[in-house]
Amino acid sequence: MTRACSPPFRTLLLGLAALLAAACSPLDATPAAAEEAVATASGPAPALVPAPVSLRAGDGRFALSAATPVHAEGAGAAAAARHFATYAARSHGLSLEVDGSGKGGTGGIRFDIDAAADFGGPEAYAIEVDPEAVRVSAADPRGLFYGAVTLWQLLEGDADGAGGVALPAVRIEDAPRFGWRGFMLDSARHFQSVDEIKRLLDAMARHKLNVFHWHLTDDQGWRIEIRRYPRLTEVGGCRIPAGDGGVDPRTGAPVPYCGHYTQAQIRDIVAYAAERHITVVPEIDVPGHAQAAVAAYPELGVTGEQIEVLNEWGVNQTLFNVEESTFEFLENVLAEVVELFPGTYIHLGGDEAVKDQWQASERVQARMRELGLADEAALQSHFIKRMERFLVARGRRLIGWDEILEGGLPPEATVMSWRGIEGGIEAARQGHDVVMTPSSELYLDYLQTDSPNEPPGRPAMVTLEQVYRFEPVPEALETDQQAHVLGVQANLWTEHARTFDRVQHHVFPRLAALAETAWTPAARRDYADFLERLPAQMGRYRAMGIAAATTPFEVLADVEEDRAGGAVAIALRNPLGYPVRYTLDGSEPGPDAVLYRAPLELALPASVRAAAFHDGAALAPPVAHAFDAASLLVRTDEQLETCPDTGRLLLRLEDDGPLHGERAIFDVTIFYPCWLWPQAGLGGIAALEIRAGRMPYYFQLAHDEPNRKFLPAQTAHGELVVQSGGCEGPLLATLPLPARPDADGFVTLRTPPLAAAADRTDLCFTFTGDTRPTMWVLDQARLIPDQPSPP
C-alpha cells in the first residue's frame, strides 16, 4: 500500500490556483496548509469528521430537492455519486437521481474525475459549493468517493422540513495524512454475520478508513472455509461454550457455538469492501493461537493428541509443530487465502506464541538442531520466514504483530506494533514498514468510560480522548525512519462482545476519533473542536442505524454521605466534559434547566435528574440519580474497588447463563477474587449481607498462571472472608459457601451480628478456594443497620 500524503494546498485568497506538487511528509500537511485551517464567512464551521486539511466557507447555500440533477461521467464518478445519493436518502429523506451519462448541463451537482490534475494523491479531492452549483472532483475514484462522503456530511436540513435540504457554500481541499487507516475485527472469538460485516464496512467507508483487518482464526474458532481442509470449519468452526452457555437447560445436551464464512461469502465481502475503497487484510494466526486448527487436524500439533476447540479466553499454549508436512498444510491454506483476498498484505499473527510445547518436545528440539537454530525465538523466526517466502513468491507481503521481530524479521515483513510503540520504533529503525496500533490507546475492547452501564470488556479504559490524542509517528524516529509509519489502526477483540450491539457500542464513537487521527494533519487536530463536531456525528450514526455508545454522553453521579446530618453531596460529571443541566423536582432537564457548577448539598432522600447538553440539545436521555438512607448502604461490584496487591487484572465479565436472554455482569479481578469497600460506615450496623454469583473460570494464563492466587478453603466448598481495616485487617466474619448457587444463579450470605466497630473502615471481601474450574463473584454488598432504614 502506498501511503498518501497531504500536499501544500493552493492559497485560496490568490484565486485557487492549481495544487502544488509536494514531497510526501509522514507527519502532516505543510505549514501553509495548516495555517489555512478553517475559515468561515459567518456562523460555525461545518461539523465534518474527520476534519479536512483546508476549508473555507462562502456566502449562501445550495438548495437541494428531488429535482436536483446529479451528474457523473464514467463508472468511478457514477459510483461516488450513487453513494452520495444513497447516504442522502437515508439520512435526510432526499431522493436524488444520478445521471451517469456525463451529458448534463452546468447546474446541479457534478462528480468529476480529472486524472491529469494534481490533487495531491489518489485519495485527495476538492469540493466547491456555491448557490448555483456543486462540484466534487478528484484524480482517482478513491478521492472522489471521499469527496462524496464529505459532501454528504455537509448536508443540512430535512426533505420534510420547512427549510428543505441545502449545502453551505464552501471550498474544501483535502487529502489523508496516512495511507493505512485501519480497523481490525475479531470474528474468531465471536462471529458476525455477513450483513453485520457489511454494516461495519459501510461505517468504515463513511469515516474514510480504508483497511479492514479481519481476524479469522484463533484458538476459539476457525472462520474461513478452506476447501482442501474441510474439517477446519466443520470441527474448528465450533466450540462448546463454558458453563450454562453451552448446555441446553431442557435436555442437558451440549449446545455448540458455530460459524464460518464460505468462500463465496468472503468473495462477496471483499467485493463489497472494494466498492467502498477498503482493502481486506485477512489474518491466519501462526504459530500460536492454533488450537482450533489442531482440534480439526491433531497431526498439526506438537503433541499429536486430540484436543477440543478452546472455550476459554487468554493466552493458550497450543502451537503448530514445525514438520515439513505442517508447513505444506499452511502453504496450502495460504494458497486459497491468496485467491480470496487480492490485497497486498496477508497477516500471519505471530503474537503470544508461548514456547513451552516446543521446549518440551524432543522432536521439535531435534528439528531445531537439524535447522541449526539456537533457540525457540529463532525457530519462530524460521517459521515466519518460511511463510513469507511463500507469500512473496505470489506477489504478497507478510504483516504480523510485533512479536515477529523476535529472532529476526523477514526482509519484506511489515510490523503491526501492539505492545506499545516500541516494536514499531525498532522495526522502522531496521527499515521495515510499521502500522501503529498500541493496546494502551487503540484497543476498543477496553471500556471507554467508568459508567456502570458499559458492557463486558476490559475495565482498563481507553477513552475517546486517548484514541484522539494518540500520535502515530514517534519523535524518537529520524525523519527518514518516520516514512516507514504507514498509518494507524484500532482493534476490537471480541471475547466479551457476544452480540453485534456490543460490537457497535465498543466501536462507536471511538472510530470517529481514530478517523481523525488517521486522516487529519497533526497541526489541524484539535480535541476541543472535535467535541464540538461529535454531536453531529452521533446524529449521523442514528440516521444510519448505528447503535453507538451513549455512555460517553451520560451524566454520572459521585456521592459523599454525611450520615450524622442525614445529607449527601452529589457531584455530577459527564465523561467527555459536556455541560450538565439538572432538575431536583423530577422534571426532565431541558436547555433552560440549572447549569451544574458545584456539588449539590441535599438532604435525604435526594433525587437529581441530569443530562449533558450541546447547543441546547441533550446528548443522551436524562439520567435519574436517587439516594436515600437504604441505597447508601449498598455497593455493587462496579462500585467496589479492587484489593491492593492482587495483580489487578480486573475484567468486566458476563455470566455463563442463561443460554438465551440477559446475563449478569460482574467486575472481578481474575488473579485473586477480592473486593474492597473503602471507608464503609459501620457505626450502627448490625450485620452484612452479600449477594454472590458463580461462573466458570474460563481463562488460559500461560506464564501468568503463577499470578493467580487464592486463600485455601477451610470447608468443603470454600468461604467468603470479610475483614475490616483492609485485606490484612481483623476478621469480621467467615461465611461457608454452598455447593452451588440457588436456581437463579446467586446466593445471599449474611454475617452473624457484628461487634461494635469503628464508624469508618475499609471492608475487604475475599472468596477462598481454587478458582478453577468455577469461581465465586461478588454481585453486591449491603450494610444492615440496627434498625431498618426508613423508606
Side-chain angles (χ1 to χ4, degrees):
M1 178 175 293
T2 301
R3 192 168 72 78
C5 56
S6 301
F9 287 110
R10 70 191 97 178
T11 304
L12 297 177
L13 296 178
L14 297 179
L16 302 173
L19 290 173
L20 302 175
C24 179
S25 165
L27 286 174
D28 48 64
T30 62
E35 289 169 5
E36 200 164 50
V38 174
T40 62
S42 62
L48 303 179
V49 177
V53 173
S54 170
L55 182 154
R56 182 168 295 276
D59 294 318
R61 303 161 80 231
F62 176 87
L64 290 88
S65 70
T68 301
V70 180
H71 306 296
E73 182 174 2
R82 283 193 294 269
H83 280 293
F84 168 73
T86 299
Y87 298 160
R90 187 163 180 185
S91 63
H92 291 74
L94 183 64
S95 179
L96 296 170
E97 292 292 332
V98 176
D99 174 11
S101 68
K103 297 178 180 178
T106 58
I109 302 172
R110 176 173 293 278
F111 288 83
D112 286 331
I113 294 178
D114 184 353
D118 182 8
F119 288 86
E123 296 183 300
Y125 67 90
I127 294 176
E128 294 182 72
V129 179
D130 63 37
E132 304 301 322
V134 176
R135 185 184 182 213
V136 185
S137 53
D140 186 276
R142 285 169 284 178
L144 201 65
F145 174 80
Y146 296 131
V149 170
T150 298
L151 192 69
W152 165 66
Q153 290 193 0
L154 287 169
L155 289 172
E156 300 172 348
D158 190 280
D160 297 326
V165 180
L167 291 163
V170 70
R171 173 73 190 192
I172 294 173
E173 292 172 322
D174 199 12
R177 180 184 179 189
F178 293 110
W180 187 297
R181 306 181 301 280
F183 168 67
M184 187 222 76
L185 178 67
D186 168 17
S187 293
R189 274 53 174 264
H190 280 104
F191 181 78
Q192 302 84 33
S193 70
V194 170
D195 178 67
E196 289 164 346
I197 297 294
K198 289 182 176 180
R199 289 165 64 186
L200 284 173
L201 290 169
D202 280 329
M204 286 180 62
R206 290 192 295 269
H207 287 81
K208 299 186 175 76
L209 302 181
N210 65 349
V211 178
F212 177 53
H213 173 182
W214 202 3
H215 188 79
L216 289 167
T217 72
D218 215 297
D219 297 311
Q220 296 83 7
W222 185 285
R223 305 295 178 208
I224 174 174
E225 178 191 14
I226 302 298
R227 289 174 177 164
R228 185 162 181 167
Y229 302 109
R231 286 177 60 83
L232 284 173
T233 49
E234 293 170 359
V235 175
C238 295
R239 66 172 182 266
I240 305 299
D244 293 341
V247 178
D248 187 326
R250 297 169 300 173
T251 65
V255 178
Y257 180 93
C258 301
H260 74 273
Y261 304 98
T262 67
Q263 292 200 1
Q265 289 173 325
I266 288 172
R267 292 183 191 279
D268 179 39
I269 288 169
V270 168
Y272 192 87
E275 290 171 0
R276 288 147 184 82
H277 305 285
I278 295 171
T279 299
V280 183
V281 175
E283 181 177 353
I284 307 297
D285 216 337
V286 299
H289 291 287
Q291 186 151 330
V294 174
Y297 295 97
E299 64 271 20
L300 301 174
V302 176
T303 67
E305 298 174 355
Q306 179 65 62
I307 57 177
E308 302 298 321
V309 178
L310 194 67
N311 63 0
E312 298 180 314
W313 317 126
V315 181
N316 184 35
Q317 299 188 37
T318 301
L319 298 178
F320 286 108
N321 65 42
V322 288
E323 299 296 327
E324 183 62 28
S325 58
T326 297
F327 285 125
E328 291 176 0
F329 167 90
L330 291 171
E331 288 172 350
N332 291 336
V333 167
L334 291 178
E336 295 193 32
V337 170
V338 165
E339 289 299 313
L340 292 170
F341 297 94
T344 300
Y345 289 94
I346 305 293
H347 202 298
L348 291 188
D351 62 310
E352 297 178 330
V354 181
K355 307 301 192 296
D356 294 17
Q357 286 190 341
W358 283 356
Q359 292 169 348
S361 167
E362 293 184 4
R363 176 56 186 152
V364 170
Q365 293 299 309
R367 283 287 290 154
M368 287 171 56
R369 291 190 293 272
E370 292 169 12
L371 297 168
L373 301 174
D375 54 28
E376 290 75 19
L379 180 58
Q380 174 161 331
S381 177
H382 169 79
F383 198 115
I384 296 296
K385 289 175 180 176
R386 170 71 180 263
M387 296 296 97
E388 190 216 23
R389 289 196 296 272
F390 180 86
L391 292 175
V392 168
R394 285 150 184 81
R396 304 305 175 85
R397 293 187 64 180
L398 180 151
I399 186 169
W401 303 107
D402 56 53
E403 285 96 331
I404 66 173
L405 284 163
E406 299 166 9
L409 199 59
E412 298 296 325
T414 298
V415 169
M416 196 165 272
S417 188
W418 74 277
R419 296 177 299 176
I421 62 173
E422 291 74 20
I425 291 172
E426 178 60 28
R429 285 174 174 167
Q430 293 181 21
H432 293 278
D433 288 342
V434 174
V435 176
M436 289 296 189
T437 180
S439 61
S440 54
E441 277 81 23
L442 297 179
Y443 269 33
L444 302 186
D445 46 316
Y446 285 46
L447 303 190
Q448 55 195 305
T449 75
D450 60 347
S451 167
N453 298 318
E454 291 289 351
R458 307 188 198 195
M461 283 195 295
V462 169
T463 66
L464 185 82
E465 183 172 3
Q466 283 176 271
V467 176
Y468 189 91
R469 293 193 184 280
F470 173 65
E471 173 47 53
V473 181
E475 292 182 357
L477 293 177
E478 301 295 335
T479 301
D480 61 328
Q481 298 167 346
Q482 291 174 354
H484 284 295
V485 179
L486 300 179
V488 63
Q489 177 175 297
N491 301 330
L492 178 62
W493 304 102
T494 61
E495 291 97 327
H496 310 298
R498 185 168 56 96
T499 67
F500 189 62
D501 277 351
R502 287 183 181 166
V503 168
Q504 295 177 88
H505 180 106
H506 285 300
V507 171
F508 307 102
R510 286 183 290 187
L511 202 70
L514 173 79
E516 194 144 311
T517 298
W519 182 280
T520 305
R524 284 275 292 110
R525 280 165 49 202
D526 182 326
Y527 181 65
D529 180 62
F530 174 76
L531 291 182
E532 287 294 309
R533 291 177 278 120
L534 184 59
Q537 186 74 359
M538 292 296 292
R540 296 179 190 118
Y541 291 155
R542 290 188 292 271
M544 306 306 277
I546 293 174
T550 58
T551 46
F553 306 96
E554 289 180 354
V555 175
L556 305 178
D558 302 311
V559 62
E560 290 189 11
E561 176 188 7
D562 177 9
R563 293 185 65 192
V568 289
I570 302 173
L572 303 177
R573 58 187 173 89
N574 169 254
L576 299 181
Y578 286 104
V580 171
R581 294 185 180 273
Y582 67 92
T583 62
L584 299 177
D585 60 3
S587 63
E588 295 286 294
D592 297 325
V594 179
L595 179 66
Y596 174 79
R597 298 183 185 278
L600 309 175
E601 303 283 345
L602 301 174
L604 292 174
S607 178
V608 180
R609 292 180 69 84
F613 282 80
H614 178 267
D615 281 349
L619 296 172
V623 178
H625 296 284
F627 304 94
D628 58 21
S631 68
L632 293 173
L633 298 178
V634 179
R635 295 291 185 273
T636 66
D637 54 298
E638 294 94 351
Q639 295 169 318
L640 297 173
E641 295 185 5
T642 58
C643 299
D645 304 321
T646 59
R648 293 184 179 274
L649 184 51
L650 179 71
L651 296 175
R652 179 162 292 176
L653 301 177
E654 184 178 56
D655 206 351
D656 56 311
L659 180 61
H660 303 292
E662 293 297 316
R663 299 178 181 178
I665 296 173
F666 306 99
D667 279 11
V668 55
T669 304
I670 65 169
F671 281 169
Y672 190 71
C674 180
W675 292 257
L676 192 69
W677 184 338
Q679 293 298 290
L682 294 189
I685 297 300
L688 306 176
E689 189 176 270
I690 297 93
R691 187 173 190 249
R694 193 168 70 170
M695 62 191 305
Y697 189 93
Y698 41 55
F699 302 98
Q700 293 275 346
L701 299 179
H703 293 168
D704 283 327
E705 181 66 25
N707 294 323
R708 185 177 69 92
K709 298 180 174 64
F710 52 88
L711 295 175
Q714 303 300 315
T715 57
H717 307 295
E719 305 83 29
L720 173 64
V721 174
V722 185
Q723 294 165 275
S724 63
C727 298
E728 302 296 328
L731 186 69
L732 277 182
T734 300
L735 307 175
L737 294 164
R740 60 186 59 84
D742 297 334
D744 65 354
F746 294 89
V747 64
T748 298
L749 307 168
R750 185 162 178 160
T751 67
L754 299 177
D759 183 55
R760 295 285 175 180
T761 187
D762 292 346
L763 284 180
C764 182
F765 305 92
T766 309
F767 290 106
T768 69
D770 195 337
T771 53
R772 291 187 184 274
T774 59
M775 66 184 302
W776 288 96
V777 288
L778 190 147
D779 182 53
Q780 71 172 28
R782 181 186 301 272
L783 308 181
I784 308 299
D786 290 323
Q787 299 295 327
S789 301

